[in-house]
Amino acid sequence: MENPAFDPPTYEEPEHRDIRPSVISAFGHDTLDRVPNIDFYRNAGSVSGHRAVRPSLQELHDVFQKGGVSIPDTVDDTDDSLGTPSVDAEMALTPPKKDGTVKFGWIKGVLVRCMLNIWGVMLFIRLSWVFGQAGAGLGCVIILLSMVVTTITCLSMSAICTNGVVRGGGAYYLISRSLGPEFGGSIGLIFAFANAVAVAMYVVGFAETVVDLLKEHNALMTDPVNDIRIVGCITVVLLLGISVAGMEWEAKAQIVLLVILLVAIVNVFVGTVIPATEDKRSKGFFNYHASILEENFMPDFRGSESFFSVFAIFFPAATGILAGANISGDLKDANAALPKGTLLAIIITGITYLGVALCVAATTVRDATGTNSTIVEGQPCNFSVACDFGYDFSACASEEGCGFGLMNNFQVMTLVSGFGPLIIAGTFSATLSSALASLVSAPKVFQALCKDKIYKGLEFFAKGHGKNNEPIRGYVLTFIIAVAFILIAELNVIAPIISNFFLASYALINFSCFHASYAKSPGWRPAYKYYNMWLSLFGAVLCCAVMFVINWWAALLTYSIELLLYIYVTVKKPDVNWGSSTQAVQFVSAVNNALSLSGVDDHVKNFRPQCLVMTGAPMNRPALLDLAHCFTKNYGLCVACEVFQGPRSEKLQEMNASIERNLAWIKKTKRKAFYNVVASNSFREGAETLLQAAGLGRLKPNTLVLGFKKDWRTADREDVHNYVGVFHDSFDFEYGTVMLRMKQGLDVSHILKANEEMNRQALEQQAENEQFQNGGKGLFKKSKRSSQQVLTTRVSVNVPQSDEVARANQGLTDASAQFKKKLGKGTIDVWWLFDDGGLTLLLPYILTTRKKFKDCKMRIFIAGLPGRLQQDKEEMELLLKKFRIKCDDIHVIPDINATPTSTSSKAFDDMIAPFRLNEGNKETPQAEALKKENPWKITDTELASFEEKTNLQIRLNELLQEKSSTAKLIIVSLPIARKGAISDHLYMAWLDTLTKDLPPTLLIRGNHKSVLTFYS
């Protein structure tokens, strides 16, 4: 059984870099050993070079015995053995190839991009309003709190992105590779959506400025709200065109916008020192005055605004820190660029925000009329500090309010600046650059998410176009989302939505860093050392707290969506393995739990069957594994075991292949079991090794489960001896022992081999047909002949020799799957003949608690004396009541020790006839000679000694066929063969006779230690 098919991503053929095949110069002699080289550590599908293959340990160990081994220098870019999507772990370590691909450095790719994204819509059209509402004191707190959140997140992000090479996908890539696909997949969608909505926010900010200009010149097209929608939609179409043109054009546009933005910011500082004109003074601008700053220092929240509502509106201004990370796949060296560029961007933009805001708060009052409202002589003026400068803005106290000042005019920056049009240009630059960055980020993140095939329905958006693998389909989707939110046309409504989504992303980035540090995995070795796991945890908690304080229902909604996506990905279990910290923590937790269990003594109340299942290859005996799994479910150990018989050195390669193949089958068929394999000279020695060594501390098997050896009569006597010896060893090691027999048999290996051969021939047939269709005349005869041969082979494989064989194979196939599906109504008949500690009763009870057996009623059969049948039944009812085990009926069998029928006795005699010594009619010397020559055979003395026990097995089979022939499952106490007294073939005859011609039958024998108790 092969691993599930996986289509590896298609990469362009990379330049191959040869490695040194010889190390003579280093060591002075020729050797197959290789010196350390990066090519040995590449993943399959690497885009930066071929993966080299080092000689295996076996090849180095056995080379001189085998006479030499040829080691290939490289392997293909696919590796089916991994069973997981390949991840190029070193693409950033090679210089960019000269194929037109654009790669950015830390300044152009991270610093510029982050600064442009942080200097967004808030800088020119909301920052003054924020300081008007919150005051200079709390306004600084808002900016500093935002910086604390983003700085901690940046430190965490720096640690994560320097712990290995970062590919495209930004926050999604960082979180998914750290916490696993469940967290990454859920936050990836939310983060991509947040970036798409951010496009709308920045475009609406741009449109607001345009509409304000239209108002000034009385040039509105309809009304302000609809004009914002019209301008916004036109703008986003133009931005989409720039983005689709490619990353190079987008980067050039960003540089132009940065220059304009820097000039506009300088223009603000210059304007604050230029003496205010009469017009500016009437609108509330009076240059620097300590009294203005003092008045504006305290908060003055109006309407429904509060500290956290204002914070929610401002916070998106700080969310551009991931702009560089979002295009991590387009960076030359993401490991070095992201920490340096992002931290520097946070510092520069934070200082800028504080500087601009304080300048405005120290020069402009909160309310102004915009008219020449000078103080009338003799009239008191105490409305605001403007009174000190000869202006009375008390008219602003009316319900109509005023149109100017920090609280009323979103274009205060234009008023304050030295040259107003430059601020308008800066506003355009800030909003458009941020919108452009978000418009590029959202599709890139979404494309990375879709490429990982976490959400099967979204693979359509994984396809890239052009030399830069541009996500054109993602651009269109982002455009549609952006337009939908642009239609809201309210910046203060859109901003809090984004705040929640970005805070959720930041919380998970911080938690990822904490989690990876907490797991203490040896693979967690970030090159960036300036982080602290507890600081990251504080950052995660802070983000969550801020989310709920801003808007508790929006926070709940965000986490509800994230939880649903998390559950979806967990249930779907995408076929990926990224070595996440979640796996590391699970491992550490498992080890700690196993160690803590070692200090706790076993207690009967906590007994669980832990099954060691001798399946061979699990796919060969699925029914045996399925029934054992019904005992353990997800609450106990179920270890499928295989013994390779023969010299270990000859079986190693076969063992390794078997491990990979069978683990893949267990995973594919979703059977909850471990798989263990040993090589040994005999089946018994291998089983003995497993019985002694399987498990870890208290987590070790206590119940052996094996199938009935159906071919014992024709098998080699050594094989029979080994099989029976496993029972003896199980009893010696005090295991509970369970044997399953099904009328059709358990082993389906011959059917699997036939199907595998048929599939192989079918593939050859398909290949021949394709070759025939694509080839010329020269291929015609060959294709025809090959096809005929293939058809002949397929017929010989697929068509059985007789109807009887076909029916047998079909019956075996159906029987092998019966414990995988739900059984219908029926009974589980428990023949509890001997007290073995209660395992014979506990296992069927456990079965009745499983969904597959929930329609089955349990019936108990016990042996009783003819004179006290009712008393025996009442005693058993009382015992079951104390054990709190329900059963449908209790049957007391009074004639269990009756003599079996002559027909049954004769059938048993015929069964053992080939294995009897028949020494009774020989002279003593001759009899002794026969015993020495055939010590394994059944002697007449042995038969006479155990005649009653033999008759019991024969009689039990008669009773089982009479009373339990319609049961879904029969459970009977397993007879014990005393060591050295009962021959192997007699014991096998007992087991065969006891279970023949019956529904699926389990023979169970506990280790005679209580597994049931009626004490609390």
Side-chain angles (χ1 to χ4, degrees):
M1 187 71 68
E2 295 180 357
N3 289 341
F6 169 74
D7 296 325
T10 303
Y11 299 105
E12 296 181 10
E13 183 68 14
E15 294 179 6
H16 171 55
R17 299 178 304 187
D18 292 325
I19 65 168
R20 281 192 291 165
S22 174
V23 289
I24 295 177
S25 59
F27 298 103
H29 67 279
D30 195 6
T31 174
L32 283 176
D33 260 336
R34 297 290 190 258
V35 294
N37 190 288
I38 189 175
D39 289 339
F40 290 138
Y41 298 90
R42 298 188 187 280
N43 284 336
S46 170
V47 300
S48 56
H50 279 71
R51 183 179 64 168
V53 57
R54 65 174 67 83
S56 70
L57 188 60
Q58 285 75 24
E59 287 162 340
L60 289 173
H61 192 214
D62 299 339
V63 61
F64 296 110
Q65 300 172 24
K66 294 181 179 179
V69 178
S70 176
I71 307 299
D73 285 342
T74 61
V75 291
D76 293 335
D77 282 348
T78 57
D79 187 355
D80 293 336
S81 67
L82 293 177
T84 57
S86 59
V87 179
D88 178 19
E90 62 291 326
M91 62 183 290
L93 298 179
T94 56
K97 300 184 288 291
K98 297 180 180 179
D99 59 359
T101 303
V102 180
K103 294 289 183 180
F104 303 113
W106 74 273
I107 295 177
K108 197 173 180 180
V110 182
L111 178 64
V112 170
R113 191 173 295 276
C114 286
M115 286 197 303
L116 283 171
N117 216 9
I118 296 171
W119 283 332
V121 64
M122 300 299 169
L123 180 60
F124 293 118
I125 62 176
R126 282 296 184 277
L127 187 59
S128 57
W129 176 86
V130 167
F131 268 59
Q133 292 278 355
L138 288 182
C140 290
V141 172
I142 287 174
I143 294 176
L144 292 173
L145 180 59
S146 301
M147 287 183 67
V148 167
V149 172
T150 54
T151 302
I152 294 175
T153 305
C154 179
L155 295 176
S156 300
M157 180 195 73
S158 300
I160 295 171
C161 71
T162 57
N163 189 54
V165 176
V166 178
R167 295 183 66 190
Y172 158 70
Y173 187 90
L174 298 177
I175 295 171
S176 63
R177 268 49 176 187
S178 182
L179 288 179
E182 296 84 5
F183 282 106
S186 57
I187 204 63
L189 274 182
I190 291 175
F191 187 71
F193 180 75
N195 273 284
V197 178
V199 176
M201 183 188 75
Y202 296 126
V203 169
V204 167
F206 168 79
E208 273 191 11
T209 307
V210 173
V211 170
D212 284 343
L213 287 174
L214 293 176
K215 274 184 187 176
E216 285 183 17
H217 297 86
N218 294 319
L220 288 176
M221 292 174 278
T222 55
D223 59 80
V225 174
N226 284 319
D227 280 12
I228 289 175
R229 291 168 179 159
I230 294 169
V231 173
C233 290
I234 295 171
T235 305
V236 81
V237 169
L238 295 175
L239 292 175
L240 179 65
I242 296 174
S243 300
V244 171
M247 289 294 294
E248 194 170 3
W249 281 95
E250 188 264 349
K252 289 176 180 177
Q254 294 278 30
I255 294 296
V256 174
L257 293 172
L258 176 64
V259 172
I260 297 171
L261 189 54
L262 289 173
V263 171
I265 291 172
V266 171
N267 183 40
V268 172
F269 290 110
V270 171
T272 57
V273 296
I274 297 175
T277 62
E278 194 64 34
D279 178 61
K280 287 187 176 183
R281 291 167 71 88
S282 67
K283 293 178 180 178
F285 174 67
F286 298 100
N287 295 111
Y288 289 104
H289 290 283
S291 56
I292 296 178
L293 182 60
E294 183 181 353
E295 182 182 73
N296 290 338
F297 187 81
M298 299 304 293
D300 184 16
F301 296 112
R302 298 182 186 176
S304 59
E305 302 299 344
S306 65
F307 173 82
F308 287 103
S309 67
V310 173
F311 176 82
I313 292 170
F314 172 80
F315 186 75
T319 56
I321 64 167
L322 294 180
N326 290 339
I327 62 158
S328 51
D330 297 303
L331 300 175
K332 290 177 184 176
D333 186 357
N335 296 65
L338 288 174
K340 185 164 46 178
T342 308
L343 271 175
L344 194 56
I346 291 173
I347 294 170
I348 293 173
T349 54
I351 293 173
T352 305
Y353 270 119
L354 285 172
V356 170
L358 288 173
C359 286
V360 173
T363 58
T364 310
V365 295
R366 281 191 168 103
D367 299 285
T369 58
T371 61
N372 189 13
S373 306
T374 54
I375 300 174
V376 179
E377 273 191 49
Q379 188 171 345
C381 177
N382 56 7
F383 178 73
S384 71
V385 73
C387 296
D388 298 341
F389 311 114
Y391 283 83
D392 184 5
F393 296 140
S394 56
C396 296
S398 64
E399 291 185 4
E400 290 79 11
C402 295
F404 296 94
L406 297 178
M407 301 290 277
N408 310 302
N409 183 14
F410 291 148
Q411 302 299 330
V412 167
M413 295 299 179
T414 306
L415 174 70
V416 172
S417 67
F419 183 59
L422 268 180
I423 297 300
I424 295 171
T427 304
F428 289 174
S429 173
T431 53
L432 294 180
S433 64
S434 298
L436 195 55
S438 296
L439 187 56
V440 169
S441 298
K444 290 279 186 181
V445 172
F446 194 57
Q447 183 187 36
L449 175 67
C450 297
K451 276 185 176 180
D452 286 334
K453 300 182 180 180
I454 290 178
Y455 300 102
K456 296 295 183 184
L458 300 180
E459 291 178 23
F460 172 79
F461 295 98
K463 183 175 176 57
H465 300 268
K467 61 188 178 183
N468 265 11
N469 198 31
E470 296 291 344
I472 303 298
R473 296 171 179 176
Y475 284 132
V476 174
L477 180 63
T478 304
F479 169 77
I480 293 171
I481 295 171
V483 168
F485 278 86
I486 285 171
L487 296 179
I488 296 176
E490 277 290 337
L491 187 63
N492 288 11
V493 173
I494 300 172
I497 297 173
I498 302 172
S499 293
N500 262 293
F501 287 156
F502 276 115
L503 279 166
S505 303
Y506 293 171
L508 273 183
I509 289 176
N510 283 306
F511 184 73
S512 298
C513 182
F514 164 76
H515 203 259
S517 303
Y518 176 77
K520 292 183 173 59
S521 171
W524 174 249
R525 303 184 302 274
Y528 186 83
K529 301 298 182 183
Y530 303 103
Y531 74 96
N532 180 275
M533 60 182 287
W534 300 112
L535 185 63
S536 296
L537 180 62
F538 171 74
V541 173
L542 180 63
C543 289
C544 295
V546 170
M547 281 179 68
F548 279 95
V549 173
I550 287 175
N551 192 324
W552 66 268
W553 62 264
L556 284 178
L557 180 63
T558 302
Y559 280 111
S560 297
I561 294 171
E562 187 178 324
L563 181 62
L564 289 175
L565 293 173
Y566 178 91
I567 292 171
Y568 172 84
V569 177
T570 303
V571 171
K572 289 296 181 181
K573 289 185 174 62
D575 189 19
V576 294
N577 183 7
W578 295 322
S580 67
S581 60
T582 304
Q583 295 172 342
V585 168
Q586 286 175 343
F587 180 84
V588 172
S589 178
V591 171
N592 288 333
N593 288 335
L595 287 171
S596 63
L597 275 177
S598 299
V600 179
D601 291 333
D602 290 331
H603 193 283
V604 62
K605 287 195 294 184
N606 294 323
F607 176 85
R608 297 175 187 273
Q610 320 275 9
C611 295
L612 188 73
V613 193
M614 306 302 295
T615 56
M619 65 183 75
N620 290 348
R621 295 174 180 81
L624 189 63
L625 181 60
D626 290 337
L627 185 60
H629 180 252
C630 288
F631 296 145
T632 60
K633 199 66 175 174
N634 299 327
Y635 314 116
L637 281 179
C638 184
V639 186
C641 299
E642 183 173 8
V643 177
F644 284 87
Q645 299 182 53
R648 179 171 57 87
S649 58
E650 296 177 9
K651 294 295 179 179
L652 278 176
Q653 189 172 356
E654 187 181 353
M655 281 173 59
N656 292 334
S658 175
I659 290 171
E660 188 174 348
R661 183 175 62 254
N662 286 297
L663 285 175
W665 180 84
I666 289 172
K667 181 180 179 182
K668 182 180 179 181
T669 56
K670 297 180 179 178
R671 286 171 163 89
K672 304 293 185 183
F674 298 98
Y675 174 66
N676 208 347
V677 58
V678 295
S680 189
N681 292 327
S682 69
F683 174 68
R684 182 178 184 179
E685 286 183 13
E688 185 179 2
T689 300
L690 290 166
L691 287 168
Q692 293 181 83
L696 182 69
R698 296 285 183 188
L699 291 175
K700 62 180 300 180
N702 54 29
T703 305
L704 175 69
V705 181
L706 71 170
F708 176 69
K709 188 172 180 60
K710 195 176 182 181
D711 65 342
W712 70 274
R713 297 193 219 181
T714 56
D716 184 81
R717 66 172 181 266
E718 189 64 28
D719 290 342
V720 176
H721 174 71
N722 286 330
Y723 178 78
V724 175
V726 172
F727 284 88
H728 291 304
D729 294 337
S730 178
F731 296 143
D732 285 343
F733 294 126
E734 295 190 341
Y735 272 66
T737 307
V738 179
M739 190 205 78
L740 172 65
R741 180 176 186 179
M742 295 198 303
K743 190 186 302 183
Q744 300 86 348
L746 292 169
D747 191 354
V748 297
S749 58
H750 61 286
I751 300 176
L752 293 178
K753 287 178 182 177
N755 289 339
E756 187 178 336
E757 179 67 17
M758 186 178 69
N759 291 335
R760 186 181 67 81
Q761 298 292 353
L763 289 174
E764 288 184 8
Q765 172 79 49
Q766 183 180 357
E768 291 290 347
N769 290 341
E770 291 175 357
Q771 185 182 24
F772 171 70
Q773 292 171 3
N774 298 330
K777 294 181 180 179
L779 296 174
F780 180 75
K781 291 182 179 179
K782 180 181 177 182
S783 298
K784 185 175 181 180
R785 182 165 58 252
S786 299
S787 299
Q788 187 62 41
Q789 291 171 353
V790 169
L791 277 174
T792 303
T793 308
R794 287 182 66 189
V795 168
S796 65
V797 171
N798 198 24
V799 179
Q801 299 298 317
S802 66
D803 291 341
E804 184 180 350
V805 174
R807 284 194 298 271
N809 285 342
Q810 186 59 48
L812 178 55
T813 302
D814 294 340
S816 67
Q818 66 178 305
F819 298 122
K820 186 69 176 170
K821 57 189 178 183
K822 185 178 178 181
L823 279 71
K825 291 185 177 180
T827 62
I828 298 176
D829 287 358
V830 182
W831 291 69
W832 193 16
L833 305 177
F834 308 107
D835 193 325
D836 58 354
L839 188 67
T840 307
L841 183 61
L842 179 63
L843 291 184
Y845 165 73
I846 290 174
L847 290 180
T848 59
T849 64
R850 309 301 189 216
K851 288 183 180 179
K852 297 172 188 175
F853 291 87
K854 74 173 186 177
D855 293 331
C856 294
K857 304 293 184 182
M858 190 163 66
R859 298 192 300 175
I860 306 292
F861 294 81
I862 59 173
L865 296 174
R868 46 170 291 159
L869 297 182
Q870 186 61 32
Q871 185 178 348
D872 288 340
K873 183 175 181 179
E874 289 174 357
E875 287 177 358
M876 180 54 65
E877 286 177 345
L878 178 62
L879 182 60
L880 292 176
K881 184 177 180 181
K882 283 183 174 291
F883 284 150
R884 304 169 303 284
I885 292 178
K886 295 181 180 179
C887 71
D888 191 55
D889 198 3
I890 297 175
H891 298 265
V892 182
I893 310 299
D895 55 347
I896 201 166
N897 59 349
T899 304
T901 63
S902 58
T903 305
S904 300
S905 297
K906 184 178 185 306
F908 180 82
D909 291 338
D910 293 340
M911 180 188 297
I912 64 172
F915 313 109
R916 290 189 62 178
L917 191 62
N918 293 317
E919 84 286 4
N921 53 1
K922 302 286 193 304
E923 296 292 334
T924 301
Q926 191 177 359
E928 292 297 327
L930 280 174
K931 286 182 182 179
K932 287 183 179 180
E933 186 179 345
N934 300 289
W936 55 274
K937 285 195 172 184
I938 306 170
T939 64
D940 294 344
T941 305
E942 180 184 0
L943 270 180
S945 300
F946 296 100
E947 182 180 3
E948 290 182 358
K949 203 162 185 178
T950 300
N951 289 338
L952 177 62
Q953 314 311 320
I954 301 171
R955 175 59 180 158
L956 275 174
N957 181 258
E958 292 176 346
L959 292 170
L960 287 167
Q961 295 196 44
E962 175 188 340
K963 299 182 180 296
S964 298
S965 58
T966 60
K968 294 292 183 182
L969 182 67
I970 300 174
I971 294 173
V972 189
S973 294
L974 171 70
I976 295 179
R978 190 175 294 278
K979 284 192 296 184
I982 297 176
S983 61
D984 299 329
H985 285 79
L986 178 58
Y987 187 59
M988 289 303 303
W990 286 358
L991 301 181
D992 196 342
T993 299
L994 178 58
T995 57
K996 71 177 180 180
D997 301 328
L998 292 173
T1001 303
L1002 275 178
L1003 300 183
I1004 299 177
R1005 175 69 69 156
N1007 63 0
H1008 287 247
K1009 294 180 180 178
S1010 295
V1011 298
L1012 292 170
T1013 181
F1014 44 80
Y1015 295 107
S1016 60

